[in-house]
Structure formats: structure tokens, C-alpha cells
Amino acid sequence: MIASAHSADKKVFEISRMSNEVKELHSAFVDKRGRLMRLKKESYIESEMKKKGIEISLNPPIKIKVKSQEQ
Amino acid sequence: MFVFAIAVLFKLCSIQFIDGDKYRAMAQKRSIKAFEIPANRGNVYSADGSLLATSIPKYDVGIDAVTSSDNNFKKYIKPLCDSLAVFTGKSSGSIERKIKKARNTKDQYLLLLRNLSYSEFIRIRSFPLFKLGSIRGGFVYSQKTKREHPLGSIAERSIGYERIDENGYATRVGIDGAFGKDYLRGENGRRLKQRIGKGEWKPIRDANEIEPKNGYDIYTTIDVNIQDIAHHSLLGQLEKYEAEHGCVVVMDVKTGEIKAIANLGRNREGKYYERLNYAVGESHEPGSTFKVMAMMVALEDKVIDTSTVIDTKNGRKMFYGRPINDSGAGHGKISAAKTLEVSSNIGLATIVDDNYSKQPEKFLKRLRDWRLDKELGVSIIGEGEPVIPKPGDKIWSRNALPSMAYGYNMQLTPLQTLAFYNAIANKGELIKPRFLRAVKEFDRNIEVFEKEVLVDKICSDETLLKIKDILKNIVERGTGERLYSKTFSMAGKTGTARADYANIEEWLKDRKYVSSFAGYFPADKPKYSCIVVIHKPSTKVGYYGADVSGPVFKRIAQKIYTDTPLIDEIDSVEFQNPQVVQDFEKFNTISNTYKTIMPNLIGIPAMDAVAFLENMEVKVKVKLKGSGVIKSQSISKDKKLKFNQTIVLEAS
């Protein structure tokens, strides 16, 4: 009875430690994801590339679709 | 002695039996407590799955200045303050003074930093002294859950938040606010726990008394890329024109999904940030963008045609004792279509006054049929009310109708105007602008939102065709001419309306305008509709709708144009050359048969010959003279090859 009560207590401490860890990891995830999203933004890339003298193209890329002859 | 014993016994019984329940309850109260288990609030996502709002832990960090030993304190206080100085940008000395003062006054909790993100928190935790932990180093922190927008200020007002103060009064902003109660919030659970040491509590039963229900996730229609461009080009124009505030909304023509919505206002320091949801909440006199509606009423009623000649005089015409002016020297006699292209106030006022002054109800009924007098009923709380006056209203007079013809004496929100332009682009179908795609619990759809049609068809195809033609011409040769681009097409209407003009003398001293541009692109097969409204640009820099708001519209149109690859179809470049086929087969036969003996390489291209020999199972050295086709080989055909043997090949 006493032993199992103690083991339950132990588990409670373990759970609280782990749920803290989950919180921390979630926080780290959002932090990194937010940074990634900011880095991915076109306006950010545009301003970074301006330093190198590269600007946004006024024309869209051209996609070449090759039609096979055996049709 | 005996009496004393009786007294003790009596008290014992009274505690046990008479007050027993009370004390037992008290004991239980101290060691058993009902804990609220907070439900996790759902996330808000963009259309492509980027996180727009989520709840994350934030940290406040402080120091217990008393707990660390004199030795450690002396040794680490300086490096700690240096590290903190680098982190905060404050001076190391002032931090050190603060901490030393706290130590002298025996302060067990001196707050140093607030609202740290996890990675910042980890960094602080590794600073000198703090590294030693809470007891030896005095590192104290508390954690709280905060709503975070990972994209920062972008679309902050439209993504929004829900805040409930201690009196239970809720402030609800944007999508997060509007859908908080129904979807995001979830339900808190409850669990009874018993105190066990170390400040921890142990659950009494296996299951929770009430299970918490986590909030659902919300998927919005916002496209992060378009939003980003919209936000930054609006910001750029606001800064350039030193305007008070502005907004831009991009809507998907066919579905009514809002792809981007940016609202920026200026604060006292002159910086712009997402201040209020102007696009949804601010109804104002639309000015010239409303001329399109006025023209469409007249076209639909067939009281005029696009070629009807309208006399716009010399830029000034009296209507019931009040002059209406056009900018510039006037346009004279022009076609009805042209009045819209050059945005003639007199032109539109004349068309509407000539045909509807005797029957204003006919004009107003069309506007009502197009639902311009009603709110759209969008999900974001606080939609501005449109104002369309009617006879009998306080703001109604004989001048009301000609004023309305060019967008004065009435009010619309930017979103309401946009919804109407979207209907023009969408073959006359008026759709409700929509911010939400779906509500989900992990991958399971809880609710999916479909497009909501408000009016099936606002007018005949004939009228649509005419007005679309005019809108296209406005950009090609009218007031929007400066926006014209050779590479991609746009259609739309500029607007330059006076603002705060009630006191005309004041206004003349400090002219205030609302510059707008509403339209859609590409002109022929519209994909997106868009409105840009900028309030009170500095007239020293410029104030015309085409100059102030137009570039934002153009930038978005250009972005979407350059993001869609042009597709060029060409016929296959592959063809079967018999010579190549034959060579290829020969190559295969040689490399498959000759593994240890010399093949006949004469007549074979040098490159292939070298490749054969290098791929032999016996390692040999190859010396090649010349390039082209092999003429001779130093080892004759069918001879067994030896390890490290040198073969000389001569090629033409």
C-alpha cells in the first residue's frame, strides 16, 4: 500500500517533468518555425537579395512542356 | 486531577463527534484541491498550413539575490551582468547596481526580463551564476501561456486575439476573437488532487472528474505569400506618402476567400502597425470607386448607353445651387464611358441627376438589390455599417442623388466595395468575403466552409461586359494610366475623395484625401479582386488614387502574375537515329561479352573505347592518342588482358 502510493507519487513527478518538457519543446518548435517563416517571406528574401543586386523578375518563369511524339 | 481528566475527555469527544465533520472537512480542504485543467487553445493556420496564431509558453526571469553564497556571488556577478548587458542592450553597471541593491535589501525576487521565448530562456539559463541553478545561483523563473503570432505583425489585426479580463468581459479581435468561443477555446477540465510534497499534487482518482477538451484548429483562407507582399507594399506606400492609415484586401474571385488583408495605422512616433481592422470596420465615403456602381445602375436600366454624349462643361456645373467640380479644366462633351475613364464628377452627377431626380427610388432600389445598404455579415466582429440615404433621411436633399453618383453623402467599408467589384469580376455573382476554410481537430474536419452567394446575378451580362470594358480602359488610358503594364493586365477604378471637409475653410488650409483603388486582375480572366484604401496621404507628396493606392494594387497583381509560370509547349526533341541505335547496341554487346579479353575497338569512338577498358574486370592502364574514332590498338583482339597492362589506343 505504502509502496504503491510512493510509486504513484514518483509517477506524478515524472509526469510533471515530462509535461514541462513538452511545453518547452512546443515553445522551441514555434520559435524555430516562426523564424523559418520569417526567413521564407518573399519580402525578406527581396531585401536580402537587393544587397547582392538581384531584384524580382518582372516576367514569370517559362515552363517548357515537352509533348512526346508517340501519341 | 480527576476533574481535569474529565475535562480533557469531554473536549476530546466534542472535537471527535460534535465538531468532527467541520474539522474533517477542513483537513480535507488543506490536502485536497480541485484543479482546473486548462484546455489547449486551438491554432490558427493559413491556407498553406503556416501557423498564424498558437499558444506557447513564455518566461519571466528574475534573480533571488540572497540565496547564492558570497563566494559565488562575488565571482560571477560581473560576468553575469556583462552577459545580461549584451542580451538587453542596457549597461552592465546599472544591472549590477540593481542586483547588489537587491542583495543588500534581502530581496528574494528581482524581476529582470519578461516574456522571453524558449530559446532566449535557454540562453539566459546558461549565463554565469544562473548556470548554478535556483538554489546556488538564484535563478528564478515563471512560465505562462501566451498567444503568439509567429509571423509577427503581419495580418495581426485580422488574425486577432481574444482577451478576457477579470470581470469576464471579453475583447474579441479578428478571426481568433470571432471563433474563440465556438471553436478555439475548448473546455477546461477538472481533477481532484491530494497534496504530496515538493509542492506537487497527486490525482486522487485515475480519471479526471471532468476531462478537458482541447480547442479545435482553424484554417483560414489567408495566403502567407500574398499577405506578405500586400503588407509590405502597403507599408511602403504609407511611408512614402506619410499617410495616416490604410488597408488592402485581396479576394479570390470565384470563391470569395480573402487571400490577404493588411491594415496599417500610424502611431505617435510615426511608425505603422496593425492598429484597427479598417478594411472591415471603417465605413467612409468611397468617392470615385462608387461611380462604377452609379454607372452600372444607369446602364442596367438602359437610361444611357456607353456612347451617350454627356456634357461635362468646363470643369464646373451647378446642381441645385451647389457647384460640382472636376479636377482640371473640364472635359467638355464626352461619351458616358469616357466620363468614368476620366472619373468626371460632373459626368456621373449629370447621368444620375438627369435620369433619376424624379424617381430616386428607382436608383436606390438597385443599390438595395445589390445589398450595398446592408452589412456583408462577415465573421470578424465589428463590421462597419454602410450608409445609403433615402428620401426622408436627415442627410437626404435634392443634392443627395448627384452627390451619391460620385461616392459622397454615403458610406461603405472597403470590404463592401471590394465584394461588389468581385461580383463584376465573377460574372455578376455576389459572394460574401470569407476568412475561414475549415475547422479541424487534427486531420478530421469538424466544419468546412463553402462559398456563400449573396446575390446570384447583380445585372445582365450586357452591362457586365460594358463595365468590364470601361474598367480595363481606365488602366489602359484613363485615370489609372500610370499603372499600366505591358506584360500583365489589370482592370479597376481609382478614387480620390475628400475627407473631413465639413469645415471647408479648415479643409482648404490642410487638404485631406482618401485615395483608393479597387479592381481585379487579370482583366480578361479575373482571378483575384483587390482594394487598396489609403487615408490622408501628405498632399505635398501626392494624393491621387492612381499614385497613392494604385502601386500597391499593381505590386500584388505583378506578384501573382510572376508567380504563375508561362507554359510553352514544344514537340518532343527526341528522335530515333538508326546510327545511334546501332552504336548503342554494339556498345552493349561489347561491354557484356568482353570482361577479361581485349575487344576489337577499331572504328569505335575514343570516349566509348576508354569507357570499355576502364570497366573491364581486369584493371588496365589506357593511353589514348588523339580523339575521334579509334584507328589502332596496341593489343590485338581476343587477347587475354593482364593486370596493370598498358594499352595504347590511337585515334584519328
Side-chain angles (χ1 to χ4, degrees):
Chain A
M1 175 74 186
I2 293 170
S4 62
H6 276 291
S7 99
D9 290 4
K10 231 192 229 160
K11 281 189 176 121
V12 171
F13 294 130
E14 178 76 6
I15 289 164
S16 103
R17 190 186 60 76
M18 279 162 106
S19 65
N20 263 337
E21 203 179 314
V22 167
K23 267 192 210 164
E24 284 183 2
L25 289 174
H26 178 64
S27 170
F29 162 72
V30 172
D31 211 50
K32 295 279 183 304
R33 174 115 180 223
R35 249 188 71 198
L36 172 70
M37 272 161 65
R38 277 193 287 277
L39 292 175
K40 254 170 47 177
K41 273 193 320 204
E42 191 171 321
S43 57
Y44 178 81
I45 295 171
E46 195 183 343
S47 72
E48 284 297 293
M49 283 298 130
K50 217 168 214 165
K51 295 174 199 162
K52 294 185 176 163
I54 297 170
E55 296 206 344
I56 287 188
S57 159
L58 292 175
N59 297 307
I62 296 175
K63 193 170 169 180
I64 301 172
K65 236 186 189 170
V66 178
K67 275 192 292 189
S68 168
Q69 266 181 340
E70 302 158 22
Q71 271 178 1
Chain B
M1 189 66 199
F2 181 70
V3 175
F4 195 65
I6 292 285
V8 169
L9 200 69
F10 175 74
K11 191 68 192 167
L12 205 72
C13 292
S14 99
I15 289 173
Q16 187 69 29
F17 299 109
I18 300 169
D19 295 332
D21 285 346
K22 191 177 105 194
Y23 286 118
R24 266 192 292 275
M26 230 158 102
Q28 208 166 58
K29 227 185 192 167
R30 303 204 84 185
S31 64
I32 293 180
K33 206 161 112 182
F35 276 80
E36 185 125 287
I37 309 169
N40 293 325
R41 195 178 175 90
N43 296 332
V44 179
Y45 291 98
S46 70
D48 62 329
S50 297
L51 260 180
L52 297 179
T54 186
S55 300
I56 55 160
K58 286 272 177 180
Y59 302 85
D60 287 349
V61 166
I63 184 168
D64 177 348
V66 187
T67 183
S68 48
S69 67
D70 282 337
N71 222 347
N72 280 336
F73 190 79
K74 255 185 217 140
K75 194 164 147 201
Y76 293 120
I77 186 69
K78 186 89 183 100
L80 170 68
C81 292
D82 287 346
S83 303
L84 285 171
V86 171
F87 185 84
T88 57
K90 288 182 192 155
S91 87
S92 172
S94 74
I95 300 170
E96 196 175 332
R97 270 196 299 282
K98 245 167 76 183
I99 296 176
K100 280 193 170 149
K101 192 181 154 205
R103 192 171 169 92
N104 289 335
T105 54
K106 303 230 175 301
D107 189 353
Q108 299 245 20
Y109 183 65
L110 172 68
L111 182 66
L112 292 173
L113 296 155
R114 297 179 82 108
N115 284 335
L116 297 177
S117 73
Y118 176 72
S119 55
E120 288 169 327
F121 169 73
I122 293 294
R123 205 177 130 199
I124 302 283
R125 202 168 62 176
S126 67
F127 281 178
L129 194 66
F130 284 169
K131 234 187 313 196
L132 303 176
S134 61
I135 298 185
R136 289 175 60 219
F139 181 66
V140 195
Y141 73 94
S142 62
Q143 185 201 50
K144 57 197 170 184
T145 304
K146 274 219 147 186
R147 201 73 176 154
E148 177 91 339
H149 296 150
L151 265 183
S153 62
I154 287 188
E156 206 169 20
R157 207 64 199 174
S158 299
I159 298 165
Y161 57 84
E162 181 178 43
R163 196 174 288 149
I164 297 166
D165 68 11
E166 57 270 32
N167 304 321
Y169 182 78
T171 318
R172 298 197 175 96
V173 172
I175 294 163
D176 198 299
F179 297 99
K181 192 165 141 268
D182 292 342
Y183 301 119
L184 288 168
R185 226 191 263 166
E187 279 164 36
N188 289 350
R190 201 145 46 94
R191 185 164 212 188
L192 287 176
K193 290 187 180 182
Q194 188 175 18
R195 193 198 285 273
I196 53 178
K198 283 202 216 168
E200 289 284 355
W201 295 73
K202 170 175 80 171
I204 292 178
R205 277 175 272 269
D206 273 356
N208 295 328
E209 267 64 31
I210 300 168
E211 285 293 338
K213 254 180 87 183
N214 285 343
Y216 296 135
D217 293 335
I218 279 183
Y219 283 76
T220 65
T221 56
I222 303 284
D223 180 307
V224 177
N225 290 321
I226 302 178
Q227 176 73 41
D228 176 43
I229 294 303
H231 180 99
H232 284 94
S233 51
L234 176 67
L235 181 64
Q237 285 302 98
L238 287 172
E239 282 173 347
K240 184 174 169 195
Y241 286 92
E242 296 157 23
E244 190 195 80
H245 66 265
C247 64
V248 48
V249 189
V250 182
M251 182 166 163
D252 187 287
V253 166
K254 290 207 172 64
T255 61
E257 290 186 347
I258 299 295
K259 290 288 159 194
I261 176 166
N263 296 282
L264 295 169
R266 188 174 52 193
N267 65 9
R268 269 191 222 121
E269 286 91 56
K271 286 255 186 316
Y272 293 93
Y273 68 108
E274 286 260 333
R275 213 181 154 141
L276 286 170
N277 207 327
Y278 303 110
V280 175
E282 187 182 42
S283 55
H284 62 94
E285 288 180 316
S288 307
T289 50
F290 192 76
K291 285 176 185 159
V292 170
M293 289 79 151
M295 175 70 86
M296 281 172 72
V297 174
L299 286 175
E300 184 70 1
D301 284 341
K302 295 200 164 51
V303 294
I304 55 152
D305 194 17
T306 45
S307 57
T308 308
V309 174
I310 311 289
D311 188 359
T312 67
K313 315 264 179 181
N314 301 323
R316 188 179 167 91
K317 185 180 170 185
M318 298 301 282
F319 286 81
Y320 311 107
R322 200 177 64 99
I324 289 179
N325 300 305
D326 275 343
S327 58
H331 307 285
K333 285 182 182 160
I334 50 175
S335 72
K338 192 85 182 171
T339 61
L340 204 53
E341 278 175 34
V342 298
S343 200
S344 163
N345 295 342
I346 298 171
L348 268 294
T350 305
I351 292 171
V352 171
D353 196 57
D354 283 0
N355 297 295
Y356 296 97
S357 63
K358 294 207 176 63
Q359 40 176 351
E361 187 49 37
K362 195 178 168 195
F363 182 80
L364 297 172
K365 182 168 181 305
R366 283 253 182 247
L367 301 185
R368 280 201 303 276
D369 287 348
W370 294 342
R371 291 187 49 117
L372 287 166
D373 62 325
K374 287 184 205 74
E375 293 161 29
L376 294 162
V378 293
S379 46
I380 289 179
I381 298 162
E383 189 182 350
E385 253 180 83
V387 178
I388 303 271
K390 54 180 186 298
D393 282 357
K394 230 179 176 180
I395 54 169
W396 184 266
S397 68
R398 274 192 302 182
N399 271 316
L401 207 55
S403 294
M404 282 172 73
Y406 60 103
Y408 283 83
N409 203 39
M410 54 163 300
Q411 291 186 4
L412 286 178
T413 66
L415 200 61
Q416 286 152 4
T417 303
L418 175 65
F420 187 84
Y421 275 75
N422 193 78
I424 299 173
N426 192 28
K427 299 180 184 125
E429 189 183 49
L430 181 71
I431 319 175
K432 183 160 139 184
R434 191 155 59 90
F435 295 92
L436 246 56
R437 256 195 188 165
V439 175
K440 290 187 181 189
E441 187 181 30
F442 297 109
D443 283 340
R444 190 167 63 94
N445 283 330
I446 300 294
E447 199 170 336
V448 177
F449 297 88
E450 307 286 349
K451 83 166 179 188
E452 236 177 281
V453 179
L454 297 175
V455 178
D456 284 328
K457 198 150 183 81
I458 53 169
C459 63
S460 66
D461 285 331
E462 207 187 327
T463 306
L464 280 175
L465 209 68
K466 286 174 188 162
I467 202 77
K468 283 173 92 168
D469 212 36
I470 298 174
L471 289 174
K472 199 175 156 189
N473 285 336
I474 288 174
V475 178
E476 274 173 19
R477 59 179 193 217
T479 50
E481 195 179 26
R482 272 157 291 183
L483 299 173
Y484 178 74
S485 160
K486 258 188 270 172
T487 46
F488 57 96
S489 65
M490 298 176 283
K493 177 78 191 78
T494 59
T496 313
R498 293 179 175 194
D500 301 346
Y501 54 86
N503 183 339
I504 192 72
E505 272 158 31
E506 279 290 306
W507 188 84
L508 285 171
K509 268 186 250 161
D510 180 16
R511 291 165 190 247
K512 295 192 179 83
Y513 291 95
V514 179
S515 307
S516 48
F517 194 94
Y520 50 84
F521 49 82
D524 300 319
K525 276 188 195 156
K527 195 162 162 45
Y528 295 105
S529 58
C530 174
I531 189 166
V532 184
V533 181
I534 292 179
H535 284 250
K536 300 174 190 169
S538 163
T539 44
K540 284 179 208 125
V541 195
Y543 57 89
Y544 283 109
D547 299 332
V548 182
S549 293
V552 179
F553 183 93
K554 187 179 178 182
R555 176 72 186 89
I556 296 166
Q558 185 199 346
K559 180 201 157 48
I560 287 160
Y561 168 72
T562 51
D563 269 7
T564 329
L566 297 174
I567 293 175
D568 237 4
E569 279 202 14
I570 58 159
D571 288 334
S572 169
V573 286
E574 274 175 43
F575 57 96
Q576 302 274 321
N577 181 326
Q579 181 62 45
V580 173
V581 175
Q582 202 192 335
D583 283 357
F584 179 73
E585 269 165 16
K586 197 168 163 197
F587 183 96
N588 261 345
T589 342
I590 296 177
S591 67
N592 287 337
T593 26
Y594 294 86
K595 304 248 159 111
T596 53
I597 48 175
M598 185 70 191
N600 180 17
L601 294 175
I602 294 177
I604 283 176
M607 235 167 33
D608 285 355
V610 174
F612 283 138
L613 297 177
E614 280 175 351
N615 289 330
M616 287 280 172
E617 278 172 16
V618 183
K619 203 181 157 208
V620 289
K621 283 181 184 158
V622 184
K623 253 192 187 163
L624 178 67
K625 288 177 185 165
S627 57
V629 182
I630 302 295
K631 281 195 311 196
S632 70
Q633 53 191 60
S634 65
I635 297 177
S636 55
K637 185 186 156 205
D638 291 340
K639 273 214 170 150
K640 205 156 169 52
L641 292 169
K642 287 175 210 143
F643 180 76
N644 257 351
Q645 190 174 15
T646 306
I647 304 166
V648 184
L649 298 176
E650 266 180 58
S652 57

